[in-house]
Amino acid sequence: MRKFAAVPHLAALIAAGALSTTLAAEPVIHVEFTTAAPPELQAVAGRWVERAKNAVAAYYDGFPVERLRIKITPRAGRRPESGTAYGWSGPLITISLGRDAADADLADDWLLTHEMLHLGFPSLAERHHWLEEGIATYVEPIARARAGQLAPERAWRDLV
């Protein structure tokens, strides 16, 4: 269970039942490709999604949504690009991934973890969008370090 002791007013709201803290122990994540993808790329993408999910679950002590749809657009190259998380009409992440991506290319990826972290806090008015991005950017290396995917020393060095 998550602890909110560092934010007393939030803890009081949760205790009063004003906020829900339900986290999914094992979310259902549906991955789809916008165009045909070879089985090798589908397998690499599946392992990439699993690593990101584990990092986010390690940070939140559970996954922030019960169901998630991830739409992957294959493109040239080996790396992911252009991720966006949406919360309305069901959680959705759109992201592109290089057709030639291999596990080694994604071992140090931060982008999908960053997008999944967005699912754990509310959307804000456009003038406060900086806070949404700031939180996901700050938390992402901490989440990956907690999951054993990034050395804590590197996470702190990169932060500094």
Side-chain angles (χ1 to χ4, degrees):
M1 181 169 188
R2 295 188 328 199
K3 306 259 188 236
F4 292 101
V7 188
H9 63 283
L10 188 56
L13 288 171
I14 291 168
L19 296 174
S20 170
T21 60
T22 303
L23 296 171
E26 195 55 46
V28 174
I29 300 178
H30 177 74
V31 177
E32 61 188 72
F33 288 83
T34 59
T35 61
E40 299 82 20
L41 182 59
Q42 292 179 34
V44 166
R47 290 186 293 271
W48 176 50
V49 167
E50 186 69 16
R51 276 192 306 277
K53 178 201 75 156
N54 290 342
V56 171
Y59 182 78
Y60 286 127
D61 196 21
F63 201 74
V65 296
E66 292 179 356
R67 295 186 177 284
L68 171 62
R69 201 167 117 224
I70 301 176
K71 239 175 154 171
I72 299 174
T73 300
R75 61 168 193 77
R78 303 183 73 85
R79 303 287 301 164
E81 279 185 5
S82 307
T84 305
Y86 303 92
W88 58 89
S89 298
L92 166 69
I93 292 173
T94 60
I95 195 164
S96 66
L97 179 61
R99 284 183 201 91
D100 299 322
D103 289 326
D105 300 311
L106 303 174
D108 196 34
D109 175 63
W110 60 269
L111 186 57
L112 188 55
T113 301
H114 173 100
E115 295 306 329
M116 285 184 180
L117 284 164
H118 280 294
L119 303 172
F121 42 88
S123 294
L124 301 173
E126 185 62 33
R127 67 185 182 158
H128 299 299
H129 184 66
W130 63 270
L131 182 57
E132 290 180 53
E133 287 305 318
I135 291 171
T137 299
Y138 175 78
V139 167
E140 171 271 315
I142 296 168
R144 290 194 305 133
R146 283 187 180 178
Q149 300 172 12
L150 183 67
E153 298 80 12
R154 175 157 173 223
W156 287 114
R157 184 181 68 239
D158 290 352
L159 181 62
V160 170

